[in-house]
Amino acid sequence: MCGIVGYTGKGNAAPALIDGLYRLEYRGYDSAGIAVEGENGIQIVKRAGRVKGLECARGLEGHAGIGHTRWATHGAPTERNAHPHAYHGIVLVHNGIIENAYTLREGCLARGETFVSDTDSEVIAHLIAAEYRGNLLEAVRAGCEKLKGSYALAVMCEKERGKIVCARKRSPLIVARSGENLLVASDLPALAGEAEAYALGEGEFALLDGDITFYDASLSPIQKVRTEFDASTELADRGGYPHFMRKEMAEIPAAMRRTREEAEKTLSLSPLYEVLCQTEYIQILGCGTAYHAGLCAKTFLEATCRLPSEACVASEYRYRDPIVPSNTLAVAVSQSGETADTIAAAELAKERGARLVAVTNSPDSSLNRMADFVLPTRAGREVAVAATKSFNAQLVALYHLSEALARAKGKPFSPLPDLSAAAEETLLRSERVENWIKSFQNARTALFIGRGADFCAALEGSLKLKEISYLPSEGYPAGELKHGTLALIEDGTPVVAVLTCARLAEKTMNAVHEAYARGAHVFLVTTFLEYAGREAVRDAVLLPPCDGLLSPVLSVIPLQMLAYFVSVARGADPDKPRNLAKSVTVE
Ligand code: AGP
C-alpha cells in the first residue's frame, strides 16, 4: 500500500512528483506529500486527503525530490502523519509496515529524540540519521539492517544534493531512466511511457546520482537487466464515462472474450496438462472479490469435475496450518498479483508441496513470478478500487481451468459457451437497476441472497455495495435467513435474490416470500421469467439464458451496477471509496 515516487534530473521535480502520485493513488489516498530540494534546502509540503491537495506545491523549484500517497496503517490519516518524514537532514518516503517500530522508537526516545508523527515510518529517518557519517547509501543500508517488516524507501539527505537512495524488502520499487531524468516509483503506472525501467530486487539498493547504480545487500555494485513491462500498464483514462468503475463495467464483455482466447491458448500447453492429470485436490486462494471468484469456481469444479476443492480466504489460510494433500493444485487468484495475503498463502501452499497456478491480471506481478504456471486474465487495466471486469475475467479463466482439468481427468464435459455476448446483453438489461436505488438510498441494511452458485454471486454483490456505498449489507445463503438474519428485515429493507439455478429456484423463492411477508422490498436477478412477475417481486433483471453453474459471470453485472448507482446516489466516490486502496500490499 502507499505509493512512492522520486525524481532527480534537469527539469522541475515538483510537477513530475505530483503527476506520478496521481497515477499511484490506487495504492492509497489518505494523505499525500512531496519533498523538493531547492536552493535553500529540502522543502516539504504535505496534506491530508488526496493528491490534488498538493497542487499548491506544483510551482516549487528544485531538480530533485520524493513524494508519497498514503494508505494509513499506523497513525490516523492526518497531515502530521503524512510522508515525507524528516529527521536531522534525512528525508524519506516509505511504503510497507515496520513491525518492530515500537521497540525502535522506544530506543530513540530513550536517547532523547523526539517524534512528530504516530507512524511506523518516522523511526526509519531516525535510524538513518543516527548512522549517517557522510555517506547516505551506507547510512540507509545500516538503518535498514535494524528494520523488521516490509519497506520500499526513497531517501534524500540535506548534505548530499541531487541524490536519492532506494531500498526495498517485500514491497515493490521500480527505478527508471528517461533521458537525463532518473525516476523512482512503486509501480509502473507512475512511469507510464518511460523508456528504461528496472525492478529493484529483494534486499537490493539503488543510488540515483546523475546515473543509476545498483547494489546488492552488502553494497557491492551489481548489473541489472532491464525489465520488460507489458504495454497495457499505460495510464488509463475514463474514456468519456463519469467514473472508471462505469467504464470498466462496460468493458466486461471484451475482458471475458480476451480471457477466453488467452485461456484456450495457455491451457493447451503440455506441462500444465501433465500437472492437471495428476491433480487430486484443489485449493483456490484469494482475498475479497478474488476469493468470491474462487468460491464460484469451487462450486463449478466440484459439480463438473467431481474433484474435491476448497476456496480459501488467503489471509486466513496462511495462519491456519493448512493441510495440503499430495497432488494439490493451488490456484492463487488476484487482479493485482501483489496482494500480500494471497502471495503469502501461495508461498505456504508451495512450501507444502502444491503446484501453483497464478490467475492474475498483471503480467509483471510478484504472484506470476513465483507461480509454476500463469493463467492470465485479460481484463485490461482496472483503476476503480471496486473490482468489476477483473471478477468476470477471473471466472472465465477459472471455468476454463476446470474444463482443462475435466479433460485431463477424462471426465465428460460439454464445451464452455462464450458468454461475452450474453454479458453485453446483461449490461443493457441491468440499466434498470437505477430504478431500485430509492429502496437502497436510505436503507439501514440490505441483503443479497441465493443458493449454490447464486449465493457466491450474492456475496460479491454485497461486498460491492458496502465497499462503495457504505451501506451495511450481507450476502447470505437463502435457506439460512430463517436461522437469524431474517430479524434484520423491517418495512422497506431491500433484499436482492439471485435465482439462476433451476434446481434451487423454488427453494430460493421460499426465502423471497418469507422476506416479502415481513415488509422487504424484494428485487430479483434471474434467468426465469416466471419468477420475475410474482407479486412478492418489486422488480427484476431478466438475464439471458445461462447454465446456473456459470451464471455468476452474468448475475454479478446488475449487482455491480446497483452498487455503482447507490454509491453515486449517496454522494460517495465509487472509484475511490474511503479507507480502501486498489492494491493491498500489506498484511
Ligand atoms: C474488490 O472490489 C476489492 N477492492 C477487494 O476485495 C479486492 O478484490 C481484494 O483486495 C483482492 O485484490 P487482488 O485481486 O488484487 O488480489
Side-chain angles (χ1 to χ4, degrees):
M1 319 286 284
C2 303
I4 70 180
V5 291
Y7 172 96
T8 171
K10 298 283 180 212
N12 256 355
L17 296 173
I18 294 169
D19 292 342
L21 290 179
Y22 275 123
R23 296 181 201 131
L24 289 180
E25 269 193 312
Y26 73 90
R27 301 177 71 87
Y29 36 80
D30 286 335
S31 66
I34 57 170
V36 174
E37 184 188 75
E39 283 304 308
N40 304 315
I42 298 177
Q43 201 176 335
I44 297 175
V45 179
K46 330 194 221 196
R47 293 287 179 270
R50 297 191 183 175
V51 173
K52 67 174 185 291
L54 295 179
E55 283 298 339
C56 59
R58 194 172 270 277
L60 276 186
E61 296 211 349
H63 302 296
I66 52 180
H68 188 272
T69 178
R70 178 168 186 247
W71 185 80
T73 57
H74 295 56
T78 57
E79 188 168 315
R80 199 165 65 84
N81 289 330
H83 298 219
H85 291 289
Y87 188 70
H88 285 194
I90 301 295
V91 182
L92 60 79
V93 287
H94 166 229
N95 166 32
I97 291 184
I98 304 305
E99 288 163 5
N100 58 341
Y102 181 78
T103 319
L104 293 170
R105 196 174 161 120
E106 290 289 293
C108 296
L109 290 169
R111 289 198 297 272
E113 298 174 12
T114 52
F115 286 78
V116 294
S117 80
D118 310 314
T119 65
D120 55 335
S121 311
E122 190 182 0
V123 77
I124 310 173
H126 285 245
L127 297 181
I128 296 172
E131 297 291 343
Y132 188 72
R133 318 263 182 283
N135 184 320
L136 180 61
L137 178 65
E138 284 173 6
V140 171
R141 188 188 80 118
C144 286
E145 271 179 357
K146 301 193 167 71
L147 302 177
K148 288 199 182 122
S150 59
Y151 54 82
L153 293 170
V155 191
M156 298 177 77
C157 175
E158 288 277 7
K159 294 185 180 146
E160 300 190 38
R161 291 188 62 82
K163 275 188 200 172
I164 300 175
V165 172
C166 304
R168 81 152 267 210
K169 186 180 159 199
R170 286 171 34 210
S171 287
L173 200 58
I174 315 263
V175 178
R177 183 188 287 110
S178 169
E180 293 178 306
N181 301 324
L182 306 177
L183 305 136
V184 184
S186 298
D187 198 2
L188 277 190
L191 307 171
E194 300 306 334
E196 228 186 292
Y198 300 86
L200 202 62
E202 198 58 12
E204 291 176 354
F205 297 87
L207 172 64
L208 281 63
D209 182 18
D211 200 356
I212 308 171
T213 317
F214 294 100
Y215 299 89
D216 66 11
S218 53
L219 288 195
S220 301
I222 49 170
Q223 296 298 319
K224 283 190 73 74
V225 180
R226 184 176 157 181
T227 313
E228 297 300 334
F229 292 108
D230 190 89
S232 64
T233 50
E234 286 299 304
L235 185 59
D237 66 53
R238 283 198 294 271
Y241 288 88
H243 297 98
F244 278 108
M245 185 179 172
R246 194 83 165 88
K247 175 183 176 236
E248 287 159 5
M249 282 187 283
E251 291 169 346
I252 286 171
M256 288 169 60
R257 207 171 298 123
R258 286 195 300 265
T259 302
R260 178 184 168 87
E261 285 162 14
E262 184 69 45
E264 281 168 351
K265 218 166 47 192
T266 311
L267 291 167
S268 60
L269 299 178
S270 61
L272 177 55
Y273 179 79
E274 277 159 32
V275 171
L276 297 181
C277 288
Q278 289 154 14
T279 297
E280 282 162 18
Y281 190 66
I282 297 149
Q283 287 181 332
I284 311 172
L285 315 169
C287 295
T289 290
Y291 164 65
H292 293 156
L295 278 177
C296 296
K298 172 209 153 61
T299 311
F300 184 72
L301 258 169
E302 289 199 336
T304 54
C305 301
R306 304 304 296 156
L307 265 187
S309 60
E310 59 175 325
C312 314
V313 174
S315 54
E316 289 289 315
Y317 182 89
R318 61 191 292 196
Y319 296 115
R320 71 166 213 224
D321 193 10
I323 298 168
V324 181
S326 55
N327 295 324
T328 291
L329 185 69
V331 184
V333 185
S334 171
Q335 188 283 133
S336 62
E338 300 294 346
T339 299
D341 287 318
T342 309
I343 291 173
E347 269 166 2
L348 184 56
K350 267 192 95 168
E351 255 169 55
R352 297 193 173 189
R355 304 302 297 276
L356 179 66
V357 176
V359 178
T360 77
N361 200 36
S362 311
D364 311 305
S365 63
S366 307
L367 257 180
N368 281 15
R369 282 194 287 273
M370 64 187 278
D372 299 305
F373 306 97
V374 175
L375 179 54
T377 53
R378 290 278 182 240
R381 187 157 173 234
E382 193 172 67
V383 176
V385 166
T388 52
K389 61 178 179 173
S390 63
F391 175 75
N392 303 68
Q394 283 163 356
L395 290 185
V396 171
L398 292 169
Y399 292 151
H400 279 272
L401 181 63
S402 313
E403 182 185 41
L405 254 165
R407 290 199 197 295
K409 293 296 205 184
K411 301 269 161 77
F413 197 97
S414 355
L416 280 172
D418 178 355
L419 288 170
S420 52
E424 198 98 55
E425 181 60 31
T426 305
L427 274 168
L428 291 174
R429 297 184 189 185
S430 298
E431 293 285 346
R432 67 182 301 128
V433 302
E434 196 168 3
N435 303 323
W436 301 4
I437 58 177
K438 282 191 289 301
S439 295
F440 286 80
Q441 211 169 340
N442 300 310
R444 294 204 298 182
T445 186
L447 292 175
F448 292 79
I449 58 171
R451 285 173 186 259
D454 291 337
F455 165 54
C456 305
L459 281 175
E460 177 57 9
S462 167
L463 174 64
K464 218 86 303 177
L465 185 70
K466 65 187 140 197
E467 180 180 20
I468 60 171
S469 78
Y470 319 142
L471 170 58
S473 81
E474 289 224 48
Y476 230 70
E480 282 289 295
L481 271 192
K482 55 187 179 293
H483 297 291
T485 306
L486 204 57
L488 288 178
I489 292 180
E490 52 192 6
D491 232 15
T493 300
V495 174
V496 181
V498 186
L499 201 148
T500 71
C501 305
R503 194 168 56 85
L504 305 169
E506 276 302 344
K507 299 283 175 199
T508 301
M509 282 310 285
N510 289 342
V512 163
H513 287 289
E514 287 156 15
Y516 175 67
R518 286 153 181 92
H521 288 181
V522 182
F523 301 94
L524 220 58
V525 171
T526 183
T527 32
F528 307 114
L529 185 59
E530 62 266 36
Y531 297 115
R534 292 258 179 107
E535 190 207 342
V537 177
R538 188 163 275 245
D539 196 21
V541 170
L542 187 66
L543 300 172
C546 177
D547 179 329
L549 285 169
L550 296 169
S551 65
V553 80
L554 301 183
S555 61
V556 76
I557 295 173
L559 307 185
Q560 294 165 339
M561 197 81 97
L562 175 67
Y564 172 79
F565 285 130
V566 177
S567 168
V568 174
R570 284 165 64 101
D573 178 349
D575 285 347
K576 290 199 174 88
R578 68 187 180 202
N579 306 339
L580 300 178
K582 181 71 180 160
S583 199
V584 187
T585 57
V586 293
E587 187 182 337

